[in-house]
Amino acid sequence: MKKDDGQLIAAKRAYRNASDEGNRQEEARWANVIGDIFKNRGEYVEALKWFRLDYEVSTKYLPEKHLLPTCQSLGEVYLRLQHFEDALIYQKKHLDLAKDSDDLVEQQRASTQLGRTYHEMFLKSENDQTSLRNAKKYFISAMKLAHTLKKSNKLTFLKEYIDAHNNIGMVEMDLDNLEEAEKMLTKGLQICDEEEVVENDDGRTRLHHNLGNVYMELRKWDKARIHIEKDIVICKNIGHCQGEAKGYINLGELHYRVQKYEDAILCYEKAMNLAKCMDDEYALANQIQENIETVKEATKVMEDLKKEEQNFKKLIRNMVNARGTSGERKCLLQQNASLDRLIEKSSITSAWKKHCEFAKRKKKIASELCDKEKLGDSYLVIGESYQKLRNFTKAKKWYSKSWETYKSIGNMEGQALAKINLGDVLDSVGKWSDALEAFSEGYRIAREANLVSVQLSALENMHYSHMIRFDNHEEARRLQSKIEKLKQLNNNEVEPLRDSCSETDTEGENSPLKSYASNVHGNNESAFDDVPLASLVTKSKGTKHKPLEASTTSMSSQTVSRKRGRLVLSDDEDDNNKQQHVDVSTSNEFKSRRRLNSDVDEHQEVISDCTPPVHLEESACSYKGMSPKLTAEDFRCSRQHESVDVSPGVSENICLKNGHPGPVFDACEDEYCKHLIFKVEDDFVHIEPDSRKFGTKLSMEHMKVEVACLYFLKLVKENRSRGLLPIIQHLKCGGEVLESLDLLYTPKDHMSGKCWIEVSINRWVSKRLVKLYADCCKDLSQPPNLKLLKKLYSLEVSEDEIDVSDCELEDISAAPLLNALHLHKTIAALNLSHNLLGNESMEKLKNVFLSSSQKYGGLVLDLHCNRFGPTALFQICECTVLLSRLEVVNISGNRLTDGCASYLSTILQNCKALYSLNIQNCSITSRTIQKVTDSLSSESLLSELFIGYNSSITGNALVNLLDKLATLTSFSQINLNGIKLNKNAIDSLCNLIKSSCLSHLMIGETSIGTERAIQLSDSWSSENSELVKLDLSYCLLTSNYITKLVTNASLISGLLHLNIAGNPLMQEVGGGALASLVKNPHCCLKVVNFSKCQLGLVGILGILHSLADNASIEEVNLSDNALEHEYDTLVKVKVHEDEVDNDLFELGLGVAADSEDESEQQKPCVDLKSTFVQQLASAISMAKQLRVLDISNNGFSGETFYAVWSTNSRGSLTQSHTEGNTIHLSVEPNQCCSIQPCCTRF
């Protein structure tokens, strides 16, 4: 006898008594209670019978309000039976009745149930994003209502509020926003802890359950296991059999993901035993059985994989004998075929680390075969490996390389597939607009090549982006229509290839992968020479949401599609609330949708007739999006004189503002374009106004440069260029010259790509290097780098001074530039810093200079922060032109190691004109420093040496170097930042100061202390020496040093740059000492850094007040000086009326108001926060000479300060960067944080 049989018998007796007595209200109530008992037992059909009796009685005899719990119960049971249309009817009626009666409680419950139903419809559908949107809408509404109810009655509605977090987290998980889902679910658990919810609570189990899923998708296995096991324990303790079973399903899935198949089967068997104990849970039992079969098949695949690994090792051994013979290629092809099988099997078993290892081996084989198509295939598979491992940066890199390789051989199919996969990665990192652009580009290429399957994949991804990411229903509907037409066409094409396994029919028709599975098992070598590229496509968003089908694999591999039922219990459960006449505790069986991000097609030989098991999420990545950088191919222009129509989606006001209705048109060849459109002469240029490119406000000058460069590229592409670049005078909109683009930065209007901006060209100028670069890109079939092009376009420097720093150049992508430099011949300065160049580029650069006719004249070479190794310096040593011309060499930030010692020695001995050498942060040690020392002679012209941040340098090596530098006649600058300086080194440094004209000393982060710092300062007593720049940051200085510095008039009269950041000067003395330094009439400082000196708010204010008396200081950094929580703890204080006009902030700082002091109550109240902000703003306004000010991370925000900064006359256009605690104020052309740290003054 079941434990609730007694309750059931009693309830039926009460129902009969009420029916006999004609008490309709009691009759309906007991019918509902009986139905609820059957529902909790899993006997949903019987429960439905009693709920219908309740509904019939309530409809005929009772007031409408009594239908509320009845409709809820019917909706819940229909949902469990997956009769969604019936469920929606009663749930919507439930919500309408709740709204009519203004019952917030019932509105919350009805919204929750509607959300759950739409969510389940989404999981059961192929691509019903509308249901997902509706689910999210109702869940959000339910959360708001729960929050409102919780505030009014904290304990009663706490449960609903917690469950609302679970539901929203679950939807975010289905949207593949895993980080957002983690935050929401974790917050739900935090609320449970804060509100002291008991451990064995059904709300906690739901949160643990879904967090386990989230962490599984994030590949955080330990965290996933912890939450899944907590879910199981709680379900067991509260007697929730279904929840416990699904917990074991999740745990089995976890073991499956890490290839622990025996543990997985044990978990599934436990789940099966629990499922069999429940009535009407046949679907769950079937799903578990399918999972068990899948694990068994995967075990066989893993055994096959191990055998294939042995076969591959044998082929490697055979290769030793085949080298150099006619059988070498055959052996390589056999290895390639074996690797294809290994990749396939590792994908089936979700062994993605092995998958990556095999893919990289495939790349090596493809390189040896000199087969670019196979090489592109291998890049694509490596990208998939990293995507599954959630290393999206590397996945993006390899997909991009795949696209470049396919493009170089004109493989349209490969290009389209690479773009689609790249879009998936961009979507995964939250860059949705760029993902959509990549999908659109993939669709364009596939359409051009008439690849129906790939078009379908691209369109489904685009549909997903528009529907889910951008909520663009109209465009999504249009795309859906296209998808349906393509599916019909694709079904006809794929039909001959389809397997007889019925479970794959739904998706197989859409999969372009079908032909590959049979090839990979054949013995014919040619089968592996022409792998269908369609097998490499990542499935679209639109097909991600299938609950019970097999999915397609990327590359040849097929993984076992695994699906689980996801447990989501009722979000309005309230076992104790019998006053509501219905127990609303329910158990919804949300089944996870399958994420088809290149996971598995049916294995046509290994797993030919098994149904893929159900699992609770198998996403390898979350589908979000990114904005790719613009290259030459990223802009598109319309055909000339194309007929146009007004789009109904365009804002009428915007169109009218742009002039007469003529400019409203569909100018873009890409029908999915969302760019700003610029009309240049008779052509159009499209640009996405991305604020990341132009700052918080769109920069007019940057936009002009970009339009000019893109227009030039268009002319080059169409062979209409005369080698001249346009100089844009102004931009017009509606006949008026635009002063700012801010008004046009309205995504719903101008970014719809339907209105244009007129461009007026002032003149055309010749930029020979730009023309050469564009021609070389064309010769090498490489897209021009827009960043690089804009740098070359700059009119501020001559064409002999070439600055292409931070252009994301690699050895391959830099080839067109180096070829252009080879033709350009003349170079006076070359800045290649902050790129990704290696030794290969350095060798090409050597050849550029060797071929140059310019054999003399100074040369500045900046190569810092690249990927050069020690042999890069060997190329300089081998180039006589470089040795004769080099004056400045900056190769810092490259891992040169001590392998560069002999090369540096050669450069120092033979570069007679060299006066500046920067080898900071190059991983060199005392050995290299000693080599440098030995290479210097008294005739050397070396004036500047930077060796900082090379930590393994001993004191003796440093002393020897400093003593040698003291013998040089022209030495003036040294940088020893981050190097430990002992007493002997300080003494040698003092000697260097006295014996040379040392004007720049950088010894930050050396912790020398106050005493030694004063010793160094005293060394500048000589009349011949003048200190210009001093960096003593993080040297453990106290205010005594500043006090000493103030009294040294001869020293501060020549000092222009001072950095004492990170020294504990303290508020009491340090702030006053620095203020005295600033006010000193001998002070000629221009740039000062006083950040992280623990000056406190009083110190900050005092220094800024002092700036009013200083006419020289232009840049000040006072960031990170407020004491901990100092600004937040400012309180209101009482002051005498005659003190109101004084420095209120200093008067009241740290004084708390005494509410019990009657005399204090008579004094006026002053808000110290407001007073401080006003005084700080006033001080900033008075410092009119300032050009850059950084007051970040001091507790206050920056809006008020920018107002006074911008209103004060500073002789140029003011700008600000205020975000969070960051407060940077500047005046053009000065920049704040856009400059790399190694490129700043300090």
Side-chain angles (χ1 to χ4, degrees), residues 513-706:
L513 310 165
K514 305 292 290 187
S515 62
Y516 189 75
S518 58
N519 286 343
V520 297
H521 297 289
N523 296 321
N524 189 350
E525 290 174 8
S526 63
F528 301 98
D529 289 338
D530 189 21
V531 176
L533 287 168
S535 64
L536 300 164
V537 71
T538 297
K539 285 299 290 181
S540 69
K541 312 293 183 295
T543 58
K544 296 195 303 181
H545 315 297
K546 302 179 185 178
L548 291 172
E549 302 94 305
S551 69
T552 52
T553 181
S554 58
M555 185 51 194
S556 59
S557 54
Q558 283 89 11
T559 64
V560 180
S561 173
R562 300 171 50 73
K563 310 199 177 281
R564 332 178 274 272
R566 176 186 298 144
L567 167 64
V568 180
L569 298 177
S570 168
D571 302 289
D572 40 43
E573 187 169 351
D574 186 1
D575 292 334
N576 299 322
N577 188 9
K578 300 303 179 182
Q579 301 295 327
Q580 298 296 330
H581 140 191
V582 57
D583 179 4
V584 294
S585 62
T586 57
S587 173
N588 184 23
E589 302 167 14
F590 283 117
K591 310 282 191 304
S592 167
R593 61 183 172 87
R594 176 75 173 94
R595 278 139 170 103
L596 297 179
N597 172 51
S598 78
D599 268 271
V600 110
D601 197 4
E602 62 278 6
H603 193 298
Q604 296 189 6
E605 290 194 10
V606 178
I607 309 172
S608 59
D609 56 2
C610 65
T611 304
V614 175
H615 67 80
L616 289 170
E617 318 274 18
E618 185 167 353
S619 166
C621 73
S622 53
Y623 282 87
K624 310 169 197 146
M626 180 168 114
S627 269
K629 65 184 180 208
L630 279 170
T631 63
E633 297 204 349
D634 289 319
F635 82 95
R636 305 175 182 83
C637 298
S638 69
R639 302 178 180 86
Q640 295 185 42
H641 314 300
E642 186 175 16
S643 61
V644 297
D645 299 312
V646 177
S647 168
V650 179
S651 166
E652 203 172 309
N653 294 334
I654 288 289
C655 296
L656 292 175
K657 188 171 79 170
N658 283 323
H660 58 81
V664 183
F665 76 119
D666 187 5
C668 187
E669 291 179 359
D670 183 353
E671 54 191 320
Y672 309 107
C673 176
K674 301 295 179 186
H675 300 76
L676 286 173
I677 301 175
F678 296 82
K679 186 175 186 294
V680 191
E681 295 185 328
D682 294 328
D683 291 298
F684 298 95
V685 171
H686 295 205
I687 295 179
E688 181 178 355
D690 189 345
S691 60
R692 287 170 299 179
K693 296 176 188 170
F694 307 114
T696 304
K697 296 184 177 180
L698 293 175
S699 167
M700 179 69 72
E701 293 306 316
H702 289 174
M703 184 66 84
K704 288 180 180 179
V705 169
E706 187 147 349

Side-chain angles (χ1 to χ4, degrees), residues 123-138:
L123 299 180
K124 291 295 183 183
S125 68
E126 179 180 345
N127 55 3
D128 187 6
Q129 283 93 12
T130 303
S131 292
L132 184 59
R133 286 179 52 255
N134 286 333
K136 188 170 184 179
K137 177 182 74 173
Y138 283 113

Side-chain angles (χ1 to χ4, degrees), residues 878-934:
E878 288 290 294
C879 182
T880 55
V881 175
L882 285 174
L883 290 175
S884 64
R885 293 186 57 199
L886 274 177
E887 292 183 347
V888 177
V889 177
N890 184 353
I891 198 164
S892 62
N894 292 283
R895 187 171 174 77
L896 301 182
T897 70
D898 285 336
C900 73
S902 58
Y903 305 133
L904 279 175
S905 177
T906 301
I907 292 171
L908 287 167
Q909 291 174 8
N910 295 286
C911 286
K912 302 301 181 182
L914 184 69
Y915 73 83
S916 179
L917 176 63
N918 190 335
I919 50 174
Q920 291 189 97
N921 193 22
C922 288
S923 302
I924 59 177
T925 68
S926 301
R927 175 188 164 198
T928 300
I929 297 301
Q930 192 59 52
K931 277 276 189 181
V932 170
T933 303
D934 296 340

Side-chain angles (χ1 to χ4, degrees), residues 156 234 339 590 652 806 886 888 906 939 1024:
T156 304
I234 296 173
L339 284 171
F590 283 117
E652 203 172 309
D806 196 18
L886 274 177
V888 177
T906 301
E939 292 80 20
N1024 297 327

Side-chain angles (χ1 to χ4, degrees), residues 311-322:
N311 178 47
F312 180 70
K313 290 177 181 178
K314 179 181 177 182
L315 291 173
I316 292 176
R317 291 192 295 270
N318 293 342
M319 189 65 197
V320 176
N321 297 325

Side-chain angles (χ1 to χ4, degrees), residues 295 297 417 445 578 780 798 823 842 902 954 1096 1103 1116 1226 1233:
V295 174
E297 294 293 345
L417 296 171
I445 297 170
K578 300 303 179 182
L780 295 175
S798 70
L823 299 172
M842 194 65 206
S902 58
T954 64
I1103 292 170
V1116 176
S1226 58
C1233 48

